[in-house]
Amino acid sequence: MTVVVWIADDTWQSCVDAAREHGSDFLLLHVSDHDVPGAAHGAFAGLFGRTPSRDPGSRLDHLAADHAAKLLEAAAARLGSPCATSARVGRVEHEVVAAAEGASLLVLCRDGDISHAGPRSLGPATRFVVDHATCPVLLVWPT
């Protein structure tokens, strides 16, 4: 069964290190939030009309895709095992839950206030994923 590893910008190293001990079939998952490029698309269209060649939202889409590809490449190198990768765009928490459906394990990291244990050590998206994932979840502390 597949171990899904959520590759988030600030905590991916801890997730990859923890996942290594829990499987051999890995899916490294990065999700880019659609809100920022969407806001840029809307603002540009409202101010300057629909001129696709000058739309900053398209540039943000490309930057997000490049960032995801580089992050997934670094995570795969750190994992040191064959793995699949997936770069998605959408509501982060929904995309992670959907990707983890049917997985044997989902590995993710605390991303809130990590100065102490408790509910505040999880950001809103991570809390949603922990509450809604339909597979076992391994929640790790960032190192």
Side-chain angles (χ1 to χ4, degrees):
M1 294 290 284
T2 302
V3 175
V4 176
V5 185
W6 182 6
I7 304 300
D9 290 347
D10 296 333
T11 59
W12 66 269
Q13 297 95 336
S14 298
C15 290
V16 169
D17 294 344
R20 224 184 271 118
E21 301 172 18
H22 295 282
S24 59
D25 181 22
F26 300 101
L27 171 64
L28 304 180
L29 171 69
H30 181 273
V31 182
S32 298
D33 197 332
H34 68 289
D35 285 347
V36 174
H41 286 302
F44 182 81
L47 291 172
F48 298 109
R50 300 182 189 275
T51 309
S53 63
R54 297 178 46 206
D55 185 351
S58 299
R59 176 76 175 130
L60 289 173
D61 285 334
H62 293 298
L63 289 171
D66 288 344
H67 174 70
K70 289 177 183 172
L71 202 56
L72 287 168
E73 183 179 319
R78 185 175 183 113
L79 183 63
S81 297
C83 61
T85 60
S86 177
R88 294 183 176 209
V89 177
R91 287 196 57 186
V92 175
E93 60 273 22
H94 290 248
E95 293 296 327
V96 173
V97 168
E101 190 171 324
S104 59
L105 182 67
L106 170 62
V107 180
L108 52 96
C109 199
R110 294 178 183 272
D111 60 349
D113 177 8
I114 58 169
S115 64
H116 63 279
R120 288 187 222 156
S121 66
L122 301 178
T126 303
R127 168 56 60 197
F128 182 92
V129 171
V130 167
D131 289 343
H132 292 88
T134 58
C135 67
V137 174
L138 174 60
L139 182 61
V140 299
W141 284 95
T143 54

